[in-house]
């Protein structure tokens, strides 16, 4: 099949970026392959870009900070000249930002992403559109550059991609940030301002570790948290988080790093447009995972689920359920009912049924999750699925007037989570207990015994 498309791929690759080539082949020729497969095949075929593109890119890099409209021609390594109009056309054809373009460069450090400024476009865009375009272009180049340079790695389609910068428990501080900010919103709503402030301090204390780890899911989880704060009418909390990420990002990763710049740009967006732009960012993370890893990769599917949840859970729950059900059927058809990716979506759908008070369907989903949990490959996935299954069963049994079974399943869910976090992690265990108590209103002591 590769041989049949070789000539057409060559023609596209000479004129376009690799993600554009993949999009064209996928949509118009129903030819699907991962970015890694494309790169291996292109290297094998010996494809190269047209020389003019290499020249113009070299010119832009050489003149990266000193180029303005006043300079009608640019320094060329080959001592020839290209007018600035040519460079502008090149940048526009590659769909780069008008104000900032983030591109990976051949530096000695693998975890550095360099930025350069192309010539400002003569078209003046509204400020809001300019910020949004800058964010989306930076997201695209950040994801592409991180995978290309080996900062983010994927071993298999059924496993989450991960960062090579931190080996131990990289999501620990991200989960703590999510839990503490959720707790702070709840405390503010109940007028417990001092405790809410303490929760926010605890939440932001781990931002340095989050940035040092640079996990692939950082922005995806952060965008979801910002939307949750916004919809709870806590825009001030969302801004505080963004400013902390931007400030620490500049200190730890550099002023031009995507994480710090994206957070800084989002913090400058007017509140009336904030939710719309963050939703666009969340959708973009899923698009970037799909381009770099494929549509059925676990990280891609996780991102799609979060986007569906954020878009429809507050507006159209029927549409949300339909989309999740469609995604579940697609995974069952392509991956099988026992694949961890299918089980992830099944457990997510169970939570939707809980929220809609369709307890019979939720109970059935919870039982299926528990039944398949032992077949997950990694112990952490098994524990994750068992915890979700026991929790869903506990809630449904309580609502279906089976309190004895509900309490037993809730204790089992809590015991599993505590065994994962450790007996000394009392703070997060306390948050979990409070959350479970509020959800189910069960009457057992907070120790989990």
């Amino acid at each position: 099949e590769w041989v049949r498309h070789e000539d057409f791929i060559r023609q596209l690759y000479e004129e376009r970026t690799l993600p554009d080539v993949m999009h064209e082949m996928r949509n118009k020729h129903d030819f699907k392959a991962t970015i890694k497969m494309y790169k291996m095949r292109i290297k094998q075929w010996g494809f190269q870009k047209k020389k003019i593109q290499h020249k113009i890119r070299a010119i832009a890099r050489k003149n990266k900070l000193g180029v303005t409209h006043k300079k009608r021609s640019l320094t060329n390594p080959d001592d020839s000249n290209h007018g600035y109009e040519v460079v502008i056309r090149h940048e526009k054809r590659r769909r780069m930002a008008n104000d900032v373009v983030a591109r990976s460069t051949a530096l000695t450090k693998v975890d550095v992403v360099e930025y350069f400024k192309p010539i400002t476009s003569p078209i003046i865009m509204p400020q809001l559109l300019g910020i949004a375009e800058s964010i989306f272009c930076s997201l695209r180049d950040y994801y592409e550059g991180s995978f290309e340079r080996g900062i983010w790695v994927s071993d298999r389609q059924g496993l989450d991609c991960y960062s090579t910068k931190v080996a131990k428990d990289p999501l620990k501080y991200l989960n703590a940030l999510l839990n503490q900010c959720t707790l702070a919103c709840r405390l503010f709503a109940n007028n417990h301002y001092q405790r809410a402030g303490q929760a926010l301090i605890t939440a932001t204390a781990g931002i340095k570790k989050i940035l040092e780890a640079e996990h692939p899911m950082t922005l995806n989880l952060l965008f979801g948290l910002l939307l949750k704060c916004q919809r709870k009418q806590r825009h001030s909390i969302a801004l505080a988080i963004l400013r902390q990420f931007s400030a620490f990002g500049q200190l730890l990763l550099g002023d031009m790093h995507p994480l710090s710049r994206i957070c800084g740009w989002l913090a400058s967006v007017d509140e009336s447009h904030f939710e719309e732009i963050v939703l666009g960012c969340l959708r973009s993370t899923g698009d970037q995972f799909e381009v770099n890893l494929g549509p059925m990769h676990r990280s891609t599917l996780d991102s799609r689920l979060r986007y569906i949840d954020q878009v429809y859970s507050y507006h159209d729950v029927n549409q949300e359920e339909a989309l999740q059900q469609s995604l579940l059927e697609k995974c069952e058809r392509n991956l099988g009912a026992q694949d961890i990716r299918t089980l992830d979506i099944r457990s997510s759908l169970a939570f939707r049924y809980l929220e809609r008070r369709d307890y019979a369907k939720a109970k059935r989903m919870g039982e299926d999750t528990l039944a398949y949990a032992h077949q997950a490959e990694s112990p952490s996935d098994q524990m994750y699925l068992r915890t979700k299954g026991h929790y869903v069963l506990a809630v449904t049994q309580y609502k279906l007037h089976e309190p004895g079974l509900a309490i037993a399943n809730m204790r089992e869910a809590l015991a599993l989570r505590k065994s994962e976090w450790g007996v000394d992690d009392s703070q997060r265990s306390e948050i979990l207990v409070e959350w479970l108590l509020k959800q189910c209103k069960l009457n057992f002591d907070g120790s989990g015994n």
Side-chain angles (χ1 to χ4, degrees):
E1 194 170 2
W2 282 98
V3 174
R4 182 162 58 90
H5 294 294
E6 180 178 356
D7 291 338
F8 190 66
I9 293 175
R10 181 194 299 272
Q11 181 182 354
L12 289 174
Y13 185 70
E14 287 180 348
E15 301 288 346
R16 301 188 183 183
T17 64
L18 184 54
D20 287 343
V21 175
M22 295 173 63
H23 184 270
E24 179 89 4
M25 296 300 297
R26 181 170 61 250
N27 290 347
K28 294 189 177 181
H29 301 276
D30 197 28
F31 181 75
K32 300 177 182 179
T34 65
I35 193 169
K36 184 176 181 180
M37 295 167 64
Y38 267 98
K39 289 179 179 179
M40 291 177 61
R41 187 66 62 166
I42 287 169
K43 183 177 180 180
Q44 179 181 337
W45 286 335
F47 289 178
Q48 291 184 349
K49 298 285 188 183
K50 287 188 175 180
K51 188 175 180 181
I52 184 65
Q53 293 190 351
H54 287 296
K55 280 189 176 184
I56 294 173
R57 189 174 299 150
I59 296 169
R61 291 189 187 281
K62 190 174 182 65
N63 300 271
K64 56 185 177 182
L65 294 178
V67 176
T68 66
H69 277 309
K70 295 179 181 179
K71 297 184 178 180
R72 302 299 295 184
S73 62
L74 308 175
T75 304
N76 190 317
D78 296 331
D79 294 328
S80 59
N81 289 322
H82 289 287
Y84 74 97
E85 295 90 350
V86 178
V87 181
I88 290 176
R89 285 199 301 272
H90 169 74
E91 302 298 346
K92 288 175 68 177
R93 185 167 62 249
R94 287 179 57 83
R95 298 183 302 158
M96 294 185 177
N98 289 306
D99 57 343
V100 173
V101 179
R103 299 300 303 165
S104 300
T105 54
L107 301 178
T108 55
K109 284 189 175 182
V110 297
D111 60 339
V112 175
V113 180
E114 183 185 7
Y115 282 74
F116 67 89
K117 291 185 179 180
I119 305 163
T120 307
S121 169
I123 302 174
I124 300 175
M125 298 180 63
Q127 184 180 11
L128 177 63
L129 295 178
I131 292 174
E133 185 179 358
S134 298
I135 293 172
F136 297 145
C137 289
S138 291
L139 279 170
R140 182 194 67 207
D141 292 324
Y142 177 44
Y143 277 67
E144 180 181 334
S146 296
F147 281 113
E148 284 182 352
R149 302 223 162 260
I151 300 172
W152 296 347
V153 176
S154 171
D155 292 333
R156 281 187 296 174
Q157 290 282 304
L159 299 177
D160 289 318
C161 56
Y162 59 91
S163 170
T164 58
K165 296 177 72 174
V166 176
K168 185 178 179 181
D169 200 6
L171 290 175
K172 171 182 177 181
Y173 295 98
L174 265 173
N175 288 329
L177 174 67
L178 298 177
N179 289 334
Q180 291 286 355
C181 286
T182 301
L183 176 61
C185 289
R186 188 163 66 245
L187 291 170
F188 273 122
N190 293 320
N191 300 323
H192 299 306
Y193 301 114
Q194 185 174 357
R195 288 183 60 197
Q198 292 171 349
L200 281 179
I201 292 172
T202 304
T204 55
I207 288 179
K208 178 181 177 183
K209 296 292 185 180
I210 293 172
L211 290 170
E212 288 174 346
E214 211 171 336
H215 192 276
M217 296 303 292
T218 296
L219 285 175
N220 190 278
L221 293 171
L222 177 60
F223 295 149
L225 174 60
L226 295 175
L227 289 168
K228 180 180 290 187
C229 293
Q230 188 71 12
R231 287 164 176 170
K232 290 183 179 295
Q233 299 181 342
R234 299 295 166 188
H235 184 64
S236 58
I237 295 181
L239 287 182
I241 295 168
L242 285 170
R243 287 165 182 162
Q244 288 273 13
F245 266 90
S246 180
F248 275 108
Q250 291 178 35
L251 289 173
L252 298 172
L253 305 173
D255 293 345
M256 309 302 283
H257 193 278
L259 277 171
S260 54
R261 300 203 67 149
I262 289 170
C263 291
W265 281 325
L266 283 175
S268 68
V269 172
D270 186 82
E271 185 176 356
S272 60
H273 300 288
F274 186 80
E275 183 176 334
E276 177 186 356
I277 292 181
V278 176
L279 272 174
C281 292
L282 185 59
R283 180 173 184 173
S284 180
T285 61
D287 294 340
Q288 298 312 314
F289 278 127
E290 180 170 342
V291 167
N292 289 280
L293 301 174
M296 302 306 292
H297 193 279
R298 188 174 182 180
S299 296
T300 303
L301 293 171
D302 284 348
S303 297
R304 296 299 187 203
L305 272 176
R306 286 194 177 89
Y307 177 73
I308 292 172
D309 178 54
Q310 292 293 342
V311 170
Y312 297 103
S313 60
Y314 290 85
H315 305 292
D316 190 344
V317 293
N318 291 324
Q319 178 73 354
E320 179 194 17
E321 181 185 336
L323 288 172
Q324 287 188 331
Q325 187 66 48
S326 175
L327 196 58
L328 175 60
E329 292 171 358
K330 181 179 178 181
C331 287
E332 288 177 336
R333 185 170 58 253
N334 293 305
L335 305 172
Q338 301 177 12
D339 190 275
I340 182 62
R341 291 162 283 182
T342 305
L343 292 172
D344 276 344
I345 297 171
R346 187 184 300 278
S347 63
S348 178
L349 193 55
F351 277 85
R352 298 287 78 76
Y353 288 138
L354 284 181
E355 293 176 1
R356 297 190 62 185
R357 301 182 181 181
D358 192 341
Y359 300 121
K361 288 184 179 179
K363 184 178 180 181
R364 187 165 60 250
M365 288 286 184
E367 290 171 343
D368 289 346
T369 300
L370 275 179
Y372 290 126
H374 70 282
Q375 299 182 19
E377 292 186 27
S378 69
S380 61
D381 281 339
Q382 292 181 13
M383 182 176 296
Y384 165 78
L385 291 170
R386 287 174 60 200
T387 303
K388 280 195 166 185
H390 282 296
Y391 170 72
V392 170
L393 284 180
V395 177
T396 56
Q397 287 163 345
Y398 177 77
K399 296 296 185 180
L400 295 174
H401 308 293
E402 301 173 342
L405 294 174
I407 290 175
N409 275 297
M410 187 60 69
R411 290 183 188 278
E412 185 64 27
L414 181 56
L416 286 168
R417 294 303 293 263
K418 290 186 71 173
S419 67
E420 180 183 5
W421 288 342
V423 294
D424 296 329
D425 202 342
S426 57
Q427 188 174 52
R428 279 183 289 171
S429 295
E430 180 182 346
I431 295 169
L432 177 60
V433 171
E434 184 178 353
W435 176 57
L436 296 177
L437 285 169
K438 182 178 179 181
Q439 292 292 323
C440 297
K441 299 181 176 61
L442 297 179
N443 186 22
F444 64 99
D445 66 276
S447 65
N449 295 322

